[in-house]
Amino acid sequence: MTEPLNEPEQAGFEESLEELYEQAPCGYVSTRPDGTFARVNQTFLTWTGYGRAELLGARRFQDLLTGGGRIFYETHMLPLLSLQGRVQELAFEIVCQDGRRLPVFLNSVQKRDPAGAAVLIRTTIVDASERRAYEREIQAARRAAEEALQVRDHFMSRAAHELRTPLTALMGNIELLQRRAARDQAFPARDLGTLQRAIDQVNRLSAIVHSLLDVSRIQSGQLVVELAPLDLCALIRRIVAEYQAALVDRQVVLDCAPPSALIRGDALRLEQAFLNLLHNASHYSAPPAPISVAIRALAGQVCVDIADQGIGIPASAIPHLFQRFYRADNALAQRIGGLGIGLYMARQIIDLHGGSIAVASSERQGSTFTVCLPAAPPA
Ligand code: ADP
């Protein structure tokens, strides 16, 4: 069977091998074991501006490298080449005839005689200018994105600090009015209701401001927990009872298997984390579906499951869920409000306790968040 012809031969012309070598889209260089040029192609000469006579037998390949490149060539590339017989994709800069630096990638193979002694190094040289420019662009874009994030975080922290003072003053004034109204009994019931709604809204605002301040604390490494012995069962019972009191249209079902579960924790911060999970369970599911909370004691750990029968979380969102400001697509699509801070905070708080937080969820079926904390060693 005859070999199939290459395309140019089929088309009726033969490509000259010499031309193929000389005009290849990459540089070809053959050097003796000491680096002296033995052969170069025209592409390499065009790129670097050297004449053939300036290189062949007159210069060594490493003479065309920068200082650092020359050291790398001698201490890394040559030993690797004699060990493996080939090297690939090594980045260098070639100093051209006019002093310009040409970024390149080298692929070299070592040719040996039958006795195994190196006789020649054949090197293919690829112009990396475009790739380097592209890498520089990516780096610049990354720097710009990081700077934008810094500006955002800085602004958020400043805004939260600036909002705190007027909010405290506003709250003080509304509460004063409320006390006066109660004392003088001069306000109609309708205005008392308006006052109470104003207090609720200011409380919501200050909860948001506190969350933003907590985020800045985490970023500056200032979020700390004060660990003390506490009974997680008692804490969760209290949190659930208080939360239930504010829920009119659904049940929070608590299953607390162990009578008590001692851990070392910061009660205030843990309350913040668990309240957040409870709030999410009710925020992302519709009444009257119940929310269930179960406490289990495992080997050396106490775990709390908080489960809902709500919108669930898309699988693609799970890896990002605990990142700050992240919100899953289904929550956004259904226009359910939120800042994407709660789970980030919960994760940080649980981490500071040496615990873990995980989620199992199916879309339109519901989600279960599980927090595990190390049990306190027996006294
Ligand atoms: P927020 O609820 O304010 O957006 P979180 O950090 O508490 O912020 O939650 C981040 C995202 O995780 C939410 O926006 C939502 O997409 C998703 N999520 C959290 N808890 C639940 C839940 N119980 N059910 C469905 N999605 C949830």
Side-chain angles (χ1 to χ4, degrees):
M1 213 177 83
T2 49
E3 284 277 306
L5 288 175
N6 288 326
E7 266 183 36
E9 291 162 20
Q10 279 173 337
F13 64 90
E14 241 177 79
E15 196 169 24
S16 131
L17 286 183
E18 189 61 20
E19 191 181 327
L20 201 62
Y21 174 81
E22 287 296 343
Q23 308 296 339
C26 53
Y28 286 132
V29 167
S30 303
T31 46
R32 310 225 175 276
D34 70 349
T36 315
F37 283 95
R39 205 173 168 192
V40 290
N41 75 344
Q42 186 54 46
T43 306
F44 183 77
L45 297 174
T46 308
W47 283 352
T48 58
Y50 288 103
R52 210 175 289 268
E54 282 179 278
L55 299 181
L56 297 190
R59 276 200 169 86
R60 297 173 314 157
F61 182 74
Q62 53 269 48
D63 298 335
L64 268 56
L65 300 177
T66 56
R70 209 171 303 141
I71 293 173
F72 184 78
Y73 179 88
E74 274 163 10
T75 58
H76 283 77
M77 178 166 153
L78 287 183
L80 213 58
L81 201 55
S82 66
L83 201 71
Q84 303 179 161
R86 61 172 55 234
V87 292
Q88 275 179 319
E89 290 270 308
L90 295 185
F92 283 94
E93 278 190 333
I94 289 186
V95 183
C96 301
Q97 228 272 353
D98 59 4
R100 221 175 3 100
R101 291 179 173 203
L102 176 70
V104 294
F105 288 113
L106 303 189
N107 293 305
S108 297
V109 289
Q110 199 177 46
K111 191 170 153 43
R112 300 177 193 208
D113 65 15
V119 287
L120 210 63
I121 299 168
R122 287 199 183 116
T123 300
T124 313
I125 295 155
V126 181
D127 182 350
S129 325
E130 275 189 25
R131 210 195 294 183
R132 290 284 165 81
Y134 176 63
E135 282 166 4
R136 270 197 298 274
E137 269 173 37
I138 289 186
Q139 267 172 11
R142 185 177 302 154
R143 256 197 311 277
E146 276 164 6
E147 277 165 19
L149 279 182
Q150 267 175 12
V151 169
R152 180 196 70 181
D153 291 344
H154 190 64
F155 171 77
M156 195 195 70
S157 160
R158 286 279 308 279
H161 276 101
E162 290 296 321
L163 281 170
R164 198 166 50 167
T165 319
L167 259 182
T168 312
L170 184 61
M171 184 58 129
N173 284 325
I174 301 179
E175 282 175 347
L176 185 71
L177 262 182
Q178 202 182 32
R179 277 201 300 278
R180 274 202 198 135
R183 191 192 58 202
D184 303 344
Q185 297 190 335
F187 273 54
R190 199 189 54 193
D191 291 347
L192 285 177
T194 308
L195 263 183
Q196 187 53 51
R197 281 194 296 281
I199 289 182
D200 292 346
Q201 294 306 324
V202 174
N203 275 334
R204 278 190 62 193
L205 265 179
S206 73
I208 293 174
V209 169
H210 277 107
S211 304
L212 293 177
L213 287 170
D214 275 343
V215 172
S216 341
R217 266 188 210 111
I218 291 173
Q219 284 168 271
S220 55
Q222 284 169 353
L223 183 82
V224 284
V225 288
E226 283 174 27
L227 302 185
L230 70 85
D231 177 2
L232 192 61
C233 280
L235 181 75
I236 298 280
R237 255 190 236 110
R238 180 174 64 74
I239 295 172
V240 167
E242 284 173 15
Y243 197 75
Q244 178 70 75
L247 280 182
V248 284
D249 47 9
R250 67 205 310 177
Q251 285 287 313
V252 183
V253 182
L254 175 63
D255 171 8
C256 191
S260 69
L262 281 187
I263 61 161
R264 284 182 57 75
D266 183 321
L268 278 178
R269 287 296 182 191
L270 284 178
E271 179 166 351
Q272 183 183 0
F274 284 114
L275 263 180
N276 217 292
L277 297 175
L278 269 179
H279 169 77
N280 281 353
S282 95
H283 196 54
Y284 295 103
S285 70
I291 296 163
S292 56
V293 178
I295 309 180
R296 297 170 284 137
L298 299 173
Q301 281 192 320
V302 186
C303 294
V304 184
D305 299 315
I306 296 169
D308 64 65
Q309 299 166 23
I311 63 169
I313 299 160
S316 60
I318 302 259
H320 312 286
L321 216 57
F322 297 95
Q323 290 166 7
R324 74 197 148 119
F325 306 130
Y326 181 82
R327 307 206 63 224
D329 284 347
N330 59 341
L332 291 169
Q334 294 177 42
R335 296 177 186 276
I336 305 177
L339 286 177
I341 291 179
L343 287 183
Y344 172 67
M345 279 303 303
R347 167 69 157 287
Q348 303 293 325
I349 292 171
I350 302 302
D351 278 357
L352 287 171
H353 281 79
S356 64
I357 178 167
V359 58
S361 183
S362 301
E363 260 191 283
R364 292 179 290 278
Q365 310 260 318
S367 312
T368 301
F369 283 83
T370 299
V371 172
C372 290
L373 292 162

